[in-house]
């Protein structure tokens, strides 16, 4: 894709999102300075006036890599040539490990800024077709069911919130295409070393962060083995699954409401359900009780499902909590 075509593709993708907004709506670009999110910012800058929206930007300083505060300040200076912008410092040292804690705190900070500048503002995220392929492959590896294989949604509510909307305009565009767009704009971007498998961030056991390892090692190896670039097919798989799963999940939501018995679930309401619905009910129930989403797999849900026909008093540990079976219900165990 040539530079001019790449710029046009980026602008058209953002234009389609902004066209759905009322005039005067605030739009918040979450920008790391990497190629993907910087392309969102420049496309929004080009399309904001015709769409009559109010653009703003925020960058999150994780405070881990040397010089992060200086880089954040420099990025804010670049962004302010196009729209109001600010940097927010977070502390990613949480119980979820460096990757999970950084993600949680990053979204919390972005949500706070969206509420501050809008009612709240629509948050635009720079995830690409590459990111979608990585997400699908990671979901396959975890065995956590078809919802994880369906990947990232183009629109929704920011994780951890029930009021902050987001959109991902670039899920159909590759990272290379967006880098071409930035070259067309004459802009440079920052290559975050933590996005590389040999980067400075490591998992608790010393291995590379999962997404970085999938990006640098698993996807290239799979493409080599199959003789094709698997990113597009994986992203298409996600798109094909989303509508089907939305329908099934809607049925599961209704079944969950009907099965609730206090904090537990009534066995007589669960047993008649088809496995496709029942396992979704169990997963949603577990997540609602505080199970850790990034660690809860299909194996855990299946083990809880087997409690329906197990012995009274029998329980099982899932990431973040323990559940058990009484005579009539599945219940969380308070220790």
């Amino acid at each position: 894709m040539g530079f001019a075509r790449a710029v046009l593709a980026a602008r058209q993708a953002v234009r389609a999102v902004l066209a759905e907004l009322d005039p005067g709506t605030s739009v918040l670009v979450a920008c790391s300075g990497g190629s993907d999110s910087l392309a969102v910012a420049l496309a929004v800058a080009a399309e904001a006036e015709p769409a009559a929206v109010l653009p703003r930007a925020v960058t999150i300083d994780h405070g881990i890599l040397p010089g992060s505060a200086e880089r954040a300040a420099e990025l804010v200076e670049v962004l302010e040539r196009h729209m109001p912008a600010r940097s927010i410092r977070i502390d990613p040292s949480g119980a979820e490990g460096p990757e999970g804690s950084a993600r949680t705190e990053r979204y919390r900070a972005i949500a706070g800024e969206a509420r501050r500048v809008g009612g709240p503002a629509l948050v635009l995220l720079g995830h690409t077709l590459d990111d979608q392929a990585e997400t699908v492959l990671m979901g396959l590896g975890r065995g956590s069911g078809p919802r994880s294989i369906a990947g990232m949604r183009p629109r929704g509510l920011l994780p951890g919130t029930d009021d902050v909307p987001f959109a991902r305009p670039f899920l159909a565009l590759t990272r290379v295409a967006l880098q071409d767009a930035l070259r067309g704009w004459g802009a440079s971007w920052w290559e975050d070393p933590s996005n590389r498998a040999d980067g400075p961030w490591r998992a608790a056991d010393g291995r590379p962060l999962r997404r970085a390892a999938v990006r640098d090692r698993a996807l290239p190896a799979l493409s080599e083995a199959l003789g094709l670039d698997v990113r597009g097919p994986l992203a298409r798989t996600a798109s094909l699954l989303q509508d089907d799963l939305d329908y099934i999940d809607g049925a599961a939501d209704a079944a969950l409401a009907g099965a609730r018995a206090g904090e537990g679930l009534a066995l007589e309401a669960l047993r008649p359900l088809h496995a496709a619905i029942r396992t979704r009910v169990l997963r949603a129930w577990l997540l609602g009780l505080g199970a850790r989403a990034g660690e809860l797999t299909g194996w855990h849900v299946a083990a809880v499902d087997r409690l329906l026909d197990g012995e009274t008093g029998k329980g099982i540990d899932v990431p973040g909590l323990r559940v058990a079976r009484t005579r009539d219900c599945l219940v969380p165990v308070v220790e």
Side-chain angles (χ1 to χ4, degrees):
M1 184 180 292
F3 296 170
R5 288 181 59 196
V7 167
L8 179 60
R11 290 187 59 170
Q12 287 177 331
V14 165
R15 186 184 307 157
V17 172
L18 300 187
E20 299 178 0
L21 304 179
D22 294 331
T25 300
S26 292
V27 175
L28 179 67
V29 179
C31 186
S32 68
S35 58
D36 310 340
S37 58
L38 185 58
V40 175
L42 295 185
V44 167
E47 296 293 332
E49 185 174 352
V53 300
L54 305 176
R56 295 177 179 271
V58 63
T59 187
I60 305 301
D61 175 13
H62 297 84
I64 294 179
L65 298 178
S68 65
E70 291 76 11
R71 275 191 300 274
E74 290 171 1
L75 177 58
V76 167
E77 185 177 343
V78 170
L79 292 169
E80 284 187 329
R81 299 170 192 166
H82 307 281
M83 63 192 72
R86 69 189 293 245
S87 170
I88 299 176
R89 181 76 171 258
I90 64 169
D91 178 6
S93 58
E96 300 173 84
E99 193 173 17
S101 297
R103 179 180 183 275
T104 297
E105 292 304 313
R106 180 168 61 250
Y107 279 129
R108 181 178 291 124
I110 293 169
E113 182 69 1
R115 296 186 185 104
R116 189 184 74 85
V117 302
L122 172 68
V123 175
L124 293 187
L125 304 173
H127 296 110
T128 66
L129 183 145
D130 302 67
D131 296 308
Q132 186 73 298
E134 294 159 13
T135 300
V136 173
L137 197 55
M138 290 171 67
L140 283 168
R142 285 196 304 266
S144 49
R147 174 52 68 189
S148 64
I149 303 170
M152 296 180 288
R153 293 176 176 273
R155 290 174 175 79
L157 294 175
L158 211 62
T161 78
D162 58 7
D163 65 325
V164 181
F166 73 80
R168 296 181 171 109
F170 290 163
L171 281 182
L173 297 178
T174 66
R175 185 166 295 121
V176 169
L178 295 176
Q179 291 172 353
D180 283 345
L182 290 177
R183 293 184 182 100
W185 272 308
S188 59
W189 62 91
W190 180 55
E191 293 284 358
D192 185 349
S194 64
N195 287 331
R196 304 266 65 91
D198 59 357
W201 283 23
R202 316 299 290 179
D205 59 5
R207 292 184 298 176
L209 297 181
R210 288 173 294 180
R211 184 173 289 275
V214 167
R215 175 179 300 140
D216 282 359
R217 299 175 182 175
L219 277 171
L222 185 58
S223 295
E224 175 68 22
L226 297 179
L228 56 88
D229 184 346
V230 299
R231 294 174 302 169
L234 287 172
R236 284 195 297 275
T237 296
S239 180
L240 289 170
L241 278 171
Q242 284 179 1
D243 286 345
D244 292 348
L245 291 177
D246 284 346
Y247 177 82
I248 297 173
D249 287 347
D253 288 343
L256 173 61
R260 288 193 181 278
E263 286 197 323
L265 296 178
L267 300 182
E268 65 177 12
L270 292 173
R271 288 195 177 108
L273 298 175
H274 189 281
I277 301 297
R278 190 174 62 249
T279 53
R280 283 170 169 79
V281 169
L282 294 175
R283 178 176 175 80
W285 176 65
L286 293 170
L287 292 174
L289 291 173
R292 294 191 291 271
E295 300 175 37
L296 186 68
T297 69
W299 182 91
H300 295 113
V301 175
V304 174
D305 190 35
R306 289 194 291 272
L307 289 178
L308 271 66
D309 298 315
E311 299 175 3
T312 298
K314 189 173 183 180
I316 185 171
D317 292 309
V318 302
L321 71 145
R322 181 174 177 81
V323 297
R325 181 197 159 178
T326 67
R327 186 181 67 175
D328 302 316
C329 294
L330 294 180
V331 296
V333 176
V334 179
E335 299 180 342

